[in-house]
Amino acid sequence: MCHVCVTEAVKRRMLSRRDMFKAAPVAAVGAVAAAGTLAAATRPALAAAEGRVVDMTHTLSPEFPTYGGVPGISLDKQYDFGSDGYNLYQLTIDEHTGTHIDAPLHFSADGSSVDEIAPENLVCPLCVVDIQEKAVSDADAMLTPDDLKAWIDANGPIPDGACVAMNSGWAAHAASDKFRGADDAGTQHYPGFHVEAVTMLIEETGAACIAVDTLSLDPGNSATFDTHYTWLPSGRYGIECIANLSEMPATGATLMVGAPKHKAGTGGPARVLALV
């Protein structure tokens, strides 16, 4: 559809709606109220049964920190409501920016792309492993096999299809330079998964995903990306820059991963929600 046609259609609709509201304001209010009642009556029972929904996603903007230190998204406004009758932006986005997915293809020659991740692996029992205490004193702290064993001792086996998430408390630094933690030499400092921990998950569990509240699955000072090269080629995926893990219980929540679905993608920004 041409943009001129859209603009004219929007303007006609605006005029007709304006006339309607002038002529019958009471009827309009009644209709809105009725619609609200109907929506409440037909709301899926599942939403109420699952309890509250927590957004695990940082707001993506050009100011959000990135691994490379340059803006991960730009917005170029193509059409404006005031002059064109509608708003439209053209987006330019780095796949690996903000709260986002690392698909197996990101660190393998022929792994699954982001559009090929199985839908059943995007609905995950959430297992939150808390390493905040050691991360406070060591920005290069890692989630280790001992952390996983302690979690299992306290909470039971890691469920099949689970997302095992590292809560280092780093999400609280997203608005500051500490989130990247770059030193004078350019080396970054923030927590991540130890390669032996992901090896344990691969060999001993059916976990489908790992998640971190930092910029990388590996600790920031890694130069070899051992965790990426071990976890992703195994056919599993990762989530980086997840938010609000401190609001989650160690076990019992369900993660809903709104993965992007562009062909051959190595990852992409995702809307991640938790049902608690």
Side-chain angles (χ1 to χ4, degrees):
M1 180 182 292
C2 69
H3 290 297
V4 173
C5 297
V6 172
T7 301
E8 291 304 314
V10 170
K11 289 179 178 178
R12 286 196 299 271
R13 182 173 296 179
M14 289 169 62
L15 289 172
S16 62
R17 290 184 64 189
R18 188 180 304 154
D19 292 341
M20 178 185 72
F21 285 119
K22 284 181 178 178
V26 176
V29 171
V32 171
T37 302
L38 178 61
T42 59
R43 183 176 297 143
L46 178 63
E50 289 289 347
R52 67 190 182 104
V53 180
V54 179
D55 195 344
M56 310 296 288
T57 317
H58 289 286
T59 298
L60 181 55
S61 72
E63 292 73 40
F64 191 85
T66 62
Y67 186 87
V70 297
I73 183 172
S74 63
L75 300 87
D76 183 11
K77 196 165 192 179
Q78 303 289 306
Y79 296 92
D80 181 77
F81 189 85
S83 57
D84 303 306
Y86 63 103
N87 295 310
L88 185 149
Y89 288 90
Q90 184 176 75
L91 305 181
T92 302
I93 304 175
D94 184 322
E95 286 181 312
H96 299 272
T97 190
T99 302
H100 68 275
I101 286 178
D102 279 8
L105 184 60
H106 186 36
F107 269 73
S108 60
D110 56 359
S112 299
S113 54
V114 71
D115 57 303
E116 295 173 330
I117 296 174
E120 57 268 26
N121 288 336
L122 299 173
V123 181
C124 313
L126 179 61
C127 305
V128 180
V129 183
D130 196 319
I131 67 163
Q132 292 183 84
E133 185 173 346
K134 60 182 175 180
V136 167
S137 57
D138 181 10
D140 301 320
M142 289 184 279
L143 190 157
T144 66
D146 286 343
D147 294 314
L148 293 177
K149 291 172 185 175
W151 190 96
I152 292 169
D153 288 344
N155 301 285
I158 292 171
D160 287 344
C163 173
V164 179
M166 175 195 78
N167 181 18
S168 68
W170 226 250
H173 307 308
S176 74
D177 291 340
K178 188 171 182 178
F179 197 68
R180 291 186 76 241
D183 60 25
D184 292 341
T187 301
Q188 298 177 45
H189 298 278
Y190 43 77
F193 273 80
H194 194 290
V195 65
E196 292 178 2
V198 295
T199 299
M200 176 181 167
L201 290 173
I202 292 168
E203 294 179 351
E204 301 182 21
T205 78
C209 170
I210 59 173
V212 295
D213 53 357
T214 60
L215 283 165
S216 177
L217 304 178
D218 286 274
N221 63 351
S222 173
T224 55
F225 302 104
D226 294 338
T227 294
H228 278 84
Y229 278 117
T230 300
W231 182 255
L232 298 178
S234 73
R236 297 160 174 86
Y237 71 98
I239 303 171
E240 294 173 334
C241 299
I242 196 168
N244 293 324
L245 283 174
S246 293
E247 294 189 33
M248 294 295 103
T251 185
T254 299
L255 207 63
M256 311 289 289
V257 184
K261 198 176 179 182
H262 54 291
K263 186 174 182 179
T266 70
R271 188 71 178 267
V272 182
L273 305 174
L275 305 179
V276 188

